[in-house]
Amino acid sequence: MTVRGGSVFVGWVAVMAALVVAARLAPSAMWASIFDNLQWTFAFGGSAWLAWRGLAGARVIDRPLRIGLFAGALMIFAGQLVWMVQVASGWNPFPAPADAVFLLAPVAWAAGWLAALVRGLPRERLLPSLLDIGGAMSALMAAVLTLYFPSGADLAFGSLIVLALYPVLFLLAAGLAVLVVPALQLRPDRFHLLVLVGTTTYGLSWMHWNLLALEDALVPGSLFNAAFTLSAVLFGLGACRFRIEADLRGDECWRERTMAYLPLAAMALALLSLVLLFLRSGDDAGVAQRVIFACCLLALTLTTVRQTLVVGVLERLRNAENAILRNEAQMYRLANFDTLTELPNRRLFEDRLEHSLREAALSGGQVAVLLIDLDHFKQVNDTFGHRFGDRLLRETAMRLQSCLRSDATLARMGGDEFMVMVERMHSRTDVAALAQALLDRVDCPWADAAMAQQIVGASIGISLYPDDAANAVELIRNADSALNEAKSAGRGTYRFYIEAYTEVTRRKLELRNRLRLARPDLEFHVDYQPQYDALRNLVGLEALLRWTVDGAPVPPDEFIPIAEESGLIVAIGEWVLETTCRQILAWRAQGRWVPPVSVNVSARQLIEAEIAQRYVQIVHAAGVAAADLVLEVTETQLLEDRMLPSVEALSRAGFKLSMDDFGTGQSSLVKLKLLPITELKIDKAFVRDIATDAGDREICATIHALAITLGLEVVAEGVETEDQFELLVGMGCQRFQGWLFAPAMLPSAVSLPSEAAQLTAGSATAPAR
């Protein structure tokens, strides 16, 4: 309130105080009545003005309640004006028109409080709260009417209704003002208290006024008449400043308890009113008795409906609790068990492993972890479908479980990997026996007729606590390292963890990171290894990628697989092709004759659908013909159906194709006949022992005979001794590559004849490829 507004308020209160004194000191009842009506008019008008000021500055959240407070104060002021007209005219019956206007005030206030409840309560709490408040108000009205109605009074029906409405409506508005605090969890302040006290004082004042009027005991100028003025001052001051503020930091327990016990309090008050009503049943109450009984019945009905809702809510809560328990059990199973095999999953397995390791640390026992991976499961899954693969995994789980003791835990870690934890293992021999039993059980014929035709083995990696690791993470990691070693050893076997496996893994990880950051022009280079014919004439070159890290060379068999796994081989392969093309041009610019140059192509490159188009762009941009290059693809890659479109596209583009490492795969002669290749390269594994192993000699002779039948040339790799060379020449082999002739060397070290010398020697020495 501003300074000016405060001055007006003080002046207003002073005028009313003067009128109260004047009424008390009036020389006659007429003048006392005049002063009483003047003080009421000033009081009710000022109260309405204060409520209007509160409405004018109200927030959006406060506006519905402020409208109700202002409307009620305005009705009281209007009723006072009607009352003054009645007094001036000498017509003052009971009930009178002024009573109808006065009774609209508590209706407007109650509507304002209900609007605040509807606006502030969430939908699920609105109906229960309204039932609680309605029952409490009905019980309160019954109690008030029971105590308020004069005993034995002979009242007309209209007088009785008006007499009842004054306490009922005013106390209803006051009760709503009280109950809105716990219902909306408000923070009550002094202005809320002023509104409440003002409303209650209004109701009590009119109750007593009506009783005095019925008994013809009204005294103009009495101190009681000032109660209306006091009510107006209190209400107006509260309505001007009251705001709805939620109590976010207060204790909510008392509010919740209040609303919880409100139906019980309403029932108790209604029953007490009925008891008092029946005790007074001999009195001739008439309509009043029926009104009180109706209020009690309404209170009991509303509380009964409320309790029925509570029972329904409790039943729903019980059902929800049961559903939650079922869902918790289901969620626990989904979170900790594999849905396909119903085995523990990785999460539960790791929890159990941690627990077992803690017990083993206390007891000094051993714990074994076996990581099992099915061999070639992806191929089976891709060939026969995922449903077949799922049946395979379920039967594998049952087979593995049948081999385990009761103190062992079998889990599915994901995909086709299973893990076994065995407590209290006595020795590595026991663990090895268990691993072999698991492998044998997986290798048995399958129950499914289609599966029985397949060979599905497994590989196992083993890690032991405390020998190999001190915690669960290291145990599982070491078992994985051992599993990789078992796969490298040919699969279908088991391996125990040793520290060297971890070093190999760390080495691969380090190389992968270095490879991602490698700068080709600084760290990569291409060496060239010559190829010769039986007369030791140069007939070809093979481009071989080399990588140097911190001045030390990295073996190709270490970084090439890493580049293929990471996908970096695509960019690296294109760089090798571009470098080779530039070198061919550089040699030719020196006047040198350059034989066909072989470049290796990986499986990861052949997956790319645009490889042929990209390679053609590279050679054309460099000014080299596709026929100047031979693309070497391993036997395994060429035999994969998904590689054939790329291979055929490269052949149509003019590139010659060579099958590298022939003899190490599982060639189909029909497919070999249809492949667009021009040569076979015998793998050095067969050439190495050809001088001492008759079997290798037979293999090399068979490959050469097959190549002649198919019209292909044969290149023998890894020729290192004269004995090997002579045996291969005797078989009819045309070309040779190996340390016997020359190692892979830098471009500057490669000895190429001049174009003129090559023309003089004749083209017969350089067979077409």
Side-chain angles (χ1 to χ4, degrees), residues 244-570:
I244 295 177
E245 297 287 351
D247 189 4
L248 302 178
R249 296 178 296 176
D251 183 12
E252 298 179 1
C253 294
W254 72 270
R255 299 183 179 89
E256 294 176 356
R257 286 196 296 268
T258 299
M259 296 304 294
Y261 292 135
L262 190 59
L264 299 178
M267 294 178 68
L269 192 57
L271 292 174
L272 179 62
S273 300
L274 285 174
V275 171
L276 294 175
L277 182 63
F278 286 120
L279 290 177
R280 299 175 55 186
S281 59
D283 299 333
D284 188 12
V287 177
Q289 186 177 16
R290 290 192 290 273
V291 171
I292 295 172
F293 182 78
C295 289
C296 292
L297 183 61
L298 179 60
L300 293 174
T301 301
L302 293 176
T303 53
T304 301
V305 173
R306 175 68 173 102
Q307 296 309 308
T308 302
L309 291 179
V310 170
V311 172
V313 171
L314 291 177
E315 183 64 24
R316 289 196 297 271
L317 288 175
R318 278 194 295 269
N319 294 336
E321 182 181 7
N322 293 333
I324 288 173
L325 292 176
R326 290 193 299 270
N327 288 337
E328 285 181 350
Q330 185 177 5
M331 290 176 63
Y332 175 81
R333 188 152 194 86
L334 289 174
N336 295 282
F337 288 85
D338 175 54
T339 56
L340 177 63
T341 62
E342 298 185 354
L343 294 175
N345 60 14
R346 177 184 292 272
R347 175 180 176 180
L348 182 58
F349 180 85
E350 291 178 352
D351 288 344
R352 292 184 180 180
L353 180 58
E354 292 281 2
H355 177 72
S356 298
L357 293 182
R358 287 194 294 269
E359 289 189 347
L362 296 175
S363 63
Q366 281 189 323
V367 177
V369 170
L370 295 83
L371 182 57
I372 306 167
D373 182 81
L374 298 183
D375 295 335
H376 309 298
F377 174 76
K378 185 179 183 305
Q379 296 179 9
V380 174
N381 212 22
D382 292 343
T383 303
F384 296 96
H386 291 286
R387 291 185 179 180
F388 183 92
D390 290 346
R391 295 203 306 272
L392 175 62
L393 291 173
R394 283 194 292 268
E395 183 165 347
T396 300
M398 291 187 291
R399 291 187 175 199
L400 295 175
Q401 190 69 63
S402 66
C403 298
L404 300 177
R405 305 182 324 211
S406 59
D407 62 344
T409 297
L410 172 64
R412 183 186 176 202
M413 305 301 282
D416 60 334
E417 284 190 347
F418 297 85
M419 186 162 280
V420 176
M421 176 189 67
V422 184
E423 303 178 62
R424 295 182 293 278
M425 295 301 296
H426 300 294
S427 65
R428 288 178 178 262
T429 303
D430 294 340
V431 180
L434 174 61
Q436 189 59 55
L438 293 172
L439 293 175
D440 294 341
R441 189 72 184 91
V442 173
D443 283 338
C444 289
W446 297 90
D448 190 291
M451 292 167 59
Q453 302 174 6
Q454 307 304 314
I455 300 175
V456 182
S459 302
I460 300 178
I462 306 170
S463 179
L464 300 179
Y465 171 86
D467 296 350
D468 301 326
N471 56 60
V473 174
E474 293 179 356
L475 268 179
I476 295 174
R477 184 198 65 194
N478 294 345
D480 188 59
S481 297
L483 174 63
N484 292 333
E485 189 63 23
K487 290 180 179 180
S488 300
R491 302 179 183 268
T493 185
Y494 62 87
R495 286 290 186 272
F496 283 91
Y497 171 77
I498 58 175
E499 186 62 29
Y501 298 163
T502 300
E503 293 301 325
V504 170
T505 303
R506 290 174 180 169
R507 169 72 171 170
K508 288 182 178 180
L509 181 60
E510 180 183 356
L511 288 178
R512 180 180 291 109
N513 294 334
R514 293 295 298 266
L515 194 59
R516 290 184 183 277
L517 302 175
R519 297 179 59 182
D521 293 336
L522 297 180
E523 299 182 34
F524 290 133
H525 69 275
V526 178
D527 285 348
Y528 298 88
Q529 187 172 25
Q531 297 175 352
Y532 296 88
D533 62 9
L535 300 178
R536 299 181 186 261
N537 295 316
L538 179 67
V539 292
L541 295 170
E542 181 177 3
L544 299 172
L545 176 64
R546 296 294 185 259
W547 182 29
T548 303
V549 175
D550 298 333
V554 181
D557 56 359
E558 285 191 26
F559 74 85
I560 293 297
I562 295 174
E564 291 180 345
E565 292 173 5
S566 61
L568 297 172
I569 193 64
V570 175

Side-chain angles (χ1 to χ4, degrees), residues 10 34 50 75 203 404:
V10 171
I34 292 174
L50 288 173
M75 288 299 102
L404 300 177

Side-chain angles (χ1 to χ4, degrees), residues 9-312:
F9 176 76
V10 171
W12 173 58
V13 173
V15 169
M16 288 184 294
L19 290 173
V20 170
V21 174
R24 292 284 292 172
L25 301 176
S28 64
M30 182 187 69
W31 281 105
S33 178
I34 292 174
F35 286 130
D36 280 339
N37 280 284
L38 286 175
Q39 67 165 304
W40 293 336
T41 303
F42 270 96
F44 297 154
S47 182
W49 175 72
L50 288 173
W52 176 81
R53 289 200 60 180
L55 174 61
R59 302 173 303 172
V60 175
I61 190 174
D62 299 325
R63 186 166 292 276
L65 175 59
R66 295 295 188 111
I67 292 174
L69 296 180
F70 168 68
L74 187 62
M75 288 299 102
I76 292 179
F77 178 62
Q80 173 61 26
L81 296 179
V82 174
W83 169 261
M84 290 179 65
V85 172
Q86 292 178 188
V87 171
S89 63
W91 179 65
N92 191 22
F94 182 80
D99 293 309
V101 182
F102 281 136
L103 289 175
L104 289 176
V107 173
W109 294 339
W113 292 115
L114 287 174
L117 282 172
V118 172
R119 190 182 184 94
L121 284 175
R123 182 175 300 178
E124 63 274 9
R125 289 181 53 197
L126 180 59
L127 179 59
S129 297
L130 292 179
L131 289 174
D132 290 340
I133 293 172
M137 292 297 97
S138 300
L140 179 63
M141 288 185 289
V144 170
L145 291 176
T146 301
L147 300 174
Y148 169 61
F149 274 120
S151 177
D154 186 12
L155 299 174
F157 180 76
S159 300
L160 185 63
I161 292 298
V162 172
L163 191 66
L165 287 177
Y166 270 104
V168 166
L169 294 179
F170 276 97
L171 292 180
L172 171 63
L176 288 172
V178 172
L179 294 178
V180 76
V181 174
L184 295 181
Q185 297 182 359
L186 301 182
R187 181 171 66 241
D189 56 12
R190 61 183 183 275
F191 300 106
H192 187 190
L193 182 62
L194 289 173
V195 172
L196 173 61
V197 173
T199 305
T200 306
T201 309
Y202 266 135
L204 295 177
S205 300
W206 255 296
M207 287 171 58
H208 190 58
W209 173 277
N210 291 336
L211 292 177
L212 292 175
L214 290 173
E215 297 174 359
D216 198 18
L218 289 172
V219 179
S222 67
L223 190 61
F224 164 72
N225 293 342
F228 292 98
T229 301
L230 177 63
S231 301
V233 173
L234 295 176
F235 182 88
L237 186 59
C240 181
R241 303 290 297 277
F242 173 65
R243 293 162 61 95
I244 295 177
E245 297 287 351
D247 189 4
L248 302 178
R249 296 178 296 176
D251 183 12
E252 298 179 1
C253 294
W254 72 270
R255 299 183 179 89
E256 294 176 356
R257 286 196 296 268
T258 299
M259 296 304 294
Y261 292 135
L262 190 59
L264 299 178
M267 294 178 68
L269 192 57
L271 292 174
L272 179 62
S273 300
L274 285 174
V275 171
L276 294 175
L277 182 63
F278 286 120
L279 290 177
R280 299 175 55 186
S281 59
D283 299 333
D284 188 12
V287 177
Q289 186 177 16
R290 290 192 290 273
V291 171
I292 295 172
F293 182 78
C295 289
C296 292
L297 183 61
L298 179 60
L300 293 174
T301 301
L302 293 176
T303 53
T304 301
V305 173
R306 175 68 173 102
Q307 296 309 308
T308 302
L309 291 179
V310 170
V311 172

